[in-house]
């Protein structure tokens, strides 16, 4: 047997990390669509319950550090995103950042709650119509947390779905129709489509055209904020006004 010689690559593409819920079937596809081709996205998964309740969301705190520790040990991330909107509201942005940075090397940590606040500041919007797939107890807590960052929600609509496996099957047209209906009669500056498992990217611009308002979604703002925190330029061809302002 002959031993072959080889050389090592000294440079690598920028790396972003993503923590995905076990039950999420949408966010990975969305992220690979939203992030530039020259960015390496590394993904780890965290155990999550079949039903979405304040208790099951809070339980992920105990598994987060272990999930992050499963990233490659050699990874040096420019930013890591935690992919759960309602989970962030339950656990807390600061706690998530602490747990992520305890388990991997990353210059920045974000999640949909911080990302939404940053996106709203960037767009100069404050009053949002909220569309949530979940039961009221989950969306109410999210709303309360977001209000602490100065956002207001004059109109809220829930699909009242507690089962995560059904959330991912909600037809995007249902989300579109709910968003247009709830925002059309509300005094709002923008619309927020909450949940990383909800299929939203293909209806964002339809809703914007119908309402003449910016439309934000969990995966959209998370990808945008990860790139911003990493010091990367954002693609202007992605869905939504956020990417073009």
């Amino acid at each position: 047997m002959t031993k072959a010689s080889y050389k090592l690559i000294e440079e690598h593409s920028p790396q972003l990390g993503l923590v995905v819920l076990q039950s999420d079937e949408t966010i990975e596809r969305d992220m690979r669509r939203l992030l530039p081709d020259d960015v390496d996205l590394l993904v780890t998964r965290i155990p999550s319950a079949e039903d979405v309740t304040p208790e099951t969301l809070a339980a992920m705190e105990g598994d987060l550090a272990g999930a992050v520790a499963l990233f490659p040990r050699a990874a040096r991330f420019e930013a890591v995103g935690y992919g759960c909107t309602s989970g962030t509201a339950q656990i807390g942005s600061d706690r998530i950042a602490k747990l992520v940075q305890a388990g991997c090397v990353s210059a920045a940590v974000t999640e949909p709650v911080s990302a939404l606040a940053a996106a709203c500041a960037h767009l100069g919007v404050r009053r949002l119509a909220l569309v949530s797939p979940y039961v009221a107890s989950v969306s109410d807590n999210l709303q309360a947390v977001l209000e602490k960052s100065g956002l207001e929600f004059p109109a809220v609509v829930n699909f009242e779905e507690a089962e995560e496996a059904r959330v991912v099957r909600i037809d995007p047209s249902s989300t579109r129709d709910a968003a247009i209906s709830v925002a059309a009669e509300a005094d709002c500056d923008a619309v927020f489509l909450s949940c990383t498992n909800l299929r939203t990217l293909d209806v964002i611009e339809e809703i914007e055209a119908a309402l003449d308002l910016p439309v934000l979604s969990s995966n959209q703002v998370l990808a945008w904020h990860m790139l911003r925190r990493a010091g990367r330029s954002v693609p202007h061809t992605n869905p939504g006004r956020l990417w073009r302002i």
Side-chain angles (χ1 to χ4, degrees), residues 58-70:
M60 286 189 287
E61 179 179 359
D63 292 312
L64 183 52
V68 172
L70 293 176

Side-chain angles (χ1 to χ4, degrees), residues 127-208:
R127 296 171 60 81
L128 301 171
L130 171 64
V131 179
S132 168
Y134 296 127
V135 296
S137 60
V138 171
S139 61
D140 287 351
N141 184 60
L142 172 63
Q143 182 181 339
V145 169
L146 290 169
E147 285 174 345
K148 292 179 181 177
S149 65
L151 300 177
E152 298 178 13
F153 297 89
V156 178
V157 63
N158 300 315
F159 289 130
E160 295 287 347
E161 181 54 65
E163 188 178 343
E164 195 71 80
R166 290 173 60 86
V167 169
V168 70
R169 306 288 175 248
I170 294 174
D171 192 302
S173 65
S174 298
T175 303
R176 177 200 63 206
D177 293 347
I180 292 172
S181 177
V182 73
E185 299 181 2
D187 179 16
C188 58
D189 309 317
V191 178
F192 178 50
L193 312 177
S194 180
C195 179
T196 61
N197 207 13
L198 196 63
R199 301 183 185 192
T200 63
L201 294 190
D202 290 332
V203 296
I204 285 175
E205 295 197 345
E206 284 186 67
I207 302 169
E208 287 189 338

Side-chain angles (χ1 to χ4, degrees), residues 4-181:
S5 62
Y6 64 90
K7 59 181 180 180
L8 299 176
I9 299 172
E10 295 184 3
E11 297 181 356
H12 57 74
S13 300
Q15 290 181 319
L16 298 179
L18 182 66
V19 181
V20 178
L21 272 58
Q22 179 181 358
S23 55
D24 198 314
E25 301 178 41
T26 301
I27 190 171
E28 287 177 85
R29 178 181 62 246
D30 283 1
M31 285 295 180
R32 296 188 193 283
R33 176 175 168 181
L34 294 168
L35 297 175
D37 292 338
D38 64 347
V39 172
D40 283 343
L41 179 66
L42 303 184
V43 174
T44 186
R45 284 196 176 250
I46 183 171
S48 60
E50 295 180 4
D51 291 338
V52 180
T53 68
E55 293 75 22
T56 60
L57 292 168
M60 286 189 287
E61 179 179 359
D63 292 312
L64 183 52
V68 172
L70 293 176
F71 279 128
R73 292 185 179 90
R76 297 294 182 267
F77 295 113
E78 295 183 341
V80 171
Y82 174 65
C84 185
T85 315
S86 299
T88 299
Q90 195 69 41
I91 300 169
S93 298
D94 291 343
R95 180 62 175 160
I96 286 170
K98 183 177 180 179
L99 289 168
V100 169
Q101 292 188 311
C104 70
V105 178
S106 180
V109 178
T110 187
E111 17 61 31
V113 169
S114 297
L116 176 64
C120 288
H122 179 74
L123 292 170
V125 302
R126 182 171 57 88
R127 296 171 60 81
L128 301 171
L130 171 64
V131 179
S132 168
Y134 296 127
V135 296
S137 60
V138 171
S139 61
D140 287 351
N141 184 60
L142 172 63
Q143 182 181 339
V145 169
L146 290 169
E147 285 174 345
K148 292 179 181 177
S149 65
L151 300 177
E152 298 178 13
F153 297 89
V156 178
V157 63
N158 300 315
F159 289 130
E160 295 287 347
E161 181 54 65
E163 188 178 343
E164 195 71 80
R166 290 173 60 86
V167 169
V168 70
R169 306 288 175 248
I170 294 174
D171 192 302
S173 65
S174 298
T175 303
R176 177 200 63 206
D177 293 347
I180 292 172
S181 177

